[in-house]
Amino acid sequence: MTNADLDQLAINTIRTLSIDAVQQAKSGHPGTPMGFAPVMYTLWNRVMNFDPKDPIWPNRDRFILSNGHASMLLWSVLHLTGTQAVNANYEQLGEPAVTLDAIRHFRTLNSKTPGHPEYHWVSGVETTTGPLGQGIATSVGMAIAKKWLAARYNQPDFTIFDYNIYTVCGDGCMMEGVGAEAASLAGHLGLDDLCWIYDSNHITIEGNTRLAFTEDVAARFLAYHWNVLHVSDANDLAQIGDALATFRKTKGQPTLIIVASHIGYGSPHRVDTAAAHGEPLGEDEVKLVKRAYGWPEDAQFLVSGGVYEQFNAGIGARGAAARANWERLFSVYREQFPELATEVDQMQRRELPAGWDQDLPTFAADPKGIAGRDASGKVLNALAQRIPWFMGGSADLAPSNRTALKFDGAGDFQAATPGGRNFHFGVREHAMAAIVNGMSLSKLRPFGATFFIFSDYARPAIRLSALMELPTIMVFTHDAMSNGEDGPTHQPVEQLISLRAVPGLIVMRPGDANEVTEAYRTILQLRHEPAVITLSRHALPTFDRSKYASAAGVAQGAYIMADAPGGPPEIILIASGSELTLIVDAQQTLAQQGIRARIVSMPSWELFEHQPATYRDSVLPPSITARIAVEQASVLGWDRYVGPAGRVIGMKTFGASAPLKELQKHFGFEPERVVASAKELLGRS
């Protein structure tokens, strides 16, 4: 059998494994693997530097399947290449990431072949994809990270990081706005380590793309300052190889390769139709397709002799050699640049350098206080000077978010200065959050920032960071009604509870400057959970911690800040953020009237729920049913903490346009209302 015959045999194996898996599952998307298998084969077996025996070595090429519904493309290749499984502790398990049996159990419970690629679940998957556009946007973060890593760690004669990022995407990804945002930024930054391979088959679920998508994609990407290449036939391996070679030679621009393909290639009745997109072909059509491929019609999950060997001779040999060369180089690098090598090691394991928190600020008691965003800016700068790979930026709001890193050498990340630590995402909140995910997947410790109200724009990527268990950080300022005159469009109401509803996401709303410090101290120690911190625009009093409990209680999510003297508490007052000062004032008034109130600061529901029941009951004793929670946000969810006998002072409407003090009075966020509610609950006149 000639090498060309082996190439075609391997390509048809990818196709038929995909067809059989979808048919057996009675669910899935067979059409894209059928049409795009030659591109996948060429990229993996002829081009990528990826060692299946060690799928997490730091200088591997990255592959992202942005149109994740075509997951059988990836499962087939991971199986055929013999990619090995690695666990969460970075240990080689000595078993394949995707077995043939796993492919037989495609889309079934606990299978290593879920319906869409899932990071952490299967080795060889670089990011979770499925929501269209997220994969291509995340790849921009990976390309940014590679540029930064190379700028910091590469030394003369020591090229430690020089990998590329390859992303397969489809018509849906081209339509999604997040992809447009990310592509625009990638072009501005000249990310020449980034290649998007566009499967242009002109079919979506509803039919031909001419129903809704008739733009000139190539012209759009040329306007974004991308290099645009065309492959006229997805089955032409030489054309595909030439395009990928041109990408690797292109400097100063990312590359888009537009590949003309036929969805459902080889199917007599489904080719180029929506019927090949999202449903099994049917047993009769499967036989006809296999006949067209010259495949045994009744064979299922067939991997013929020579296919595994073909992949082993291609990506297996090339990847092993590339990794071995890199490891030899890094061994010498470790001797000559031990501090830099230690940083690389720590990053890869998501560890923090010694003394990372020793410069975190402590704020003196001050009744005038400091805004949460200002305290945050001081903390971010302290952290970044101790953690070289801690970096981030804002969606065009750094002066308002106070997220600029201002120490000597921080710099701006731009095409000409890829070692900069300040990122300018532009007015692109959706792409910013996805890019932060890509940076985190590359083991940097990134943050993104905007006004809290615009967290809605970033939400899909935040959800994916929680799904992937990435320790990303989102800094959201203007967290209540402090930008009052801007009105309800800029005043978050439902955002807190909606983010608290995301499984695995830590939401922090600190109530004074020292709580801001402790919130970041807690967040930076997270390794598998993303965090959101919401901060005030206006100044909040800095509490006297000789009088009130230490702000270190933030790490438990909620803590007893103070009890009134004279006996056990009669009522519990709970608040987060800027409303903490409100209940402190209310407690003092109640004490003057002979009512003993406990103050509970609750910056994070999630961290509080992580504590043992004994701790939670010590903070909120079940015997004390008189409770009031105060928060300038939706009241939804607070009933779990105040109980049926308690009260919630919050928002049940949108806000309004007026100065902050007028809004606080109008919506009842004043100590007097808390006092009146407490007395009513206790039956005191």
Side-chain angles (χ1 to χ4, degrees), residues 509-513 515-516 540-541 543 545 554 576-581 601 603:
R509 189 171 184 248
D512 80 340
E515 285 201 359
V516 172
L540 305 178
F543 297 108
R545 295 295 169 166
V554 165
S576 75
S578 53
E579 289 71 68
L580 186 57
T581 186
S601 174

Side-chain angles (χ1 to χ4, degrees), residues 488-509:
T489 61
H490 281 58
Q491 294 163 4
V493 172
E494 73 278 19
Q495 281 68 30
L496 264 174
I497 187 59
S498 63
L499 288 175
R500 286 168 175 161
V502 178
L505 177 66
I506 303 298
V507 181
M508 305 282 274
R509 189 171 184 248

Side-chain angles (χ1 to χ4, degrees), residues 443-467:
K443 302 303 179 70
L444 302 182
R445 198 66 197 272
F447 64 85
T450 185
F451 290 168
F452 191 25
I453 192 69
F454 302 130
S455 64
D456 287 344
Y457 286 0
R459 182 180 310 280
I462 293 173
R463 182 178 187 272
L464 283 179
S465 65
L467 188 61

Side-chain angles (χ1 to χ4, degrees), residues 546-563:
S546 67
K547 178 180 177 182
Y548 295 103
S550 167
V554 165
Q556 279 70 53
Y559 64 101
I560 302 169
M561 192 168 161
D563 276 327

Side-chain angles (χ1 to χ4, degrees), residues 42 44 79 127 145 186 224 274 450 497 540 565 588 602:
T42 303
W44 278 71
H79 170 67
T127 183
Y224 288 152
T450 185
I497 187 59
L540 305 178
Q588 295 172 357
M602 186 176 280

Side-chain angles (χ1 to χ4, degrees), residues 431-493:
M432 174 183 70
I435 288 167
V436 166
N437 284 348
M439 294 168 69
S440 180
L441 287 160
S442 305
K443 302 303 179 70
L444 302 182
R445 198 66 197 272
F447 64 85
T450 185
F451 290 168
F452 191 25
I453 192 69
F454 302 130
S455 64
D456 287 344
Y457 286 0
R459 182 180 310 280
I462 293 173
R463 182 178 187 272
L464 283 179
S465 65
L467 188 61
M468 290 188 279
E469 301 180 357
L470 299 179
T472 57
I473 302 170
M474 284 290 152
V475 181
F476 294 133
T477 67
H478 300 59
D479 73 336
M481 288 187 283
S482 56
N483 53 344
E485 292 86 348
D486 283 335
T489 61
H490 281 58
Q491 294 163 4
V493 172

Side-chain angles (χ1 to χ4, degrees), residues 374-405:
D374 290 323
S376 170
K378 295 178 184 297
V379 176
L380 290 174
N381 274 272
L383 289 168
Q385 291 179 76
R386 286 285 176 178
I387 309 171
W389 54 93
F390 180 77
M391 62 195 70
S394 175
D396 197 52
L397 289 170
S400 292
N401 296 148
R402 307 291 199 263
T403 50
L405 303 178

Side-chain angles (χ1 to χ4, degrees), residues 67 69 132-133 169-177 198 203-204 209 213:
N67 46 344
H69 54 268
L132 293 177
C169 54
D171 292 298
C173 292
M174 289 294 109
M175 295 186 215
E176 290 286 1
Y198 168 29
I203 296 295
T204 59
T209 53
F213 187 58

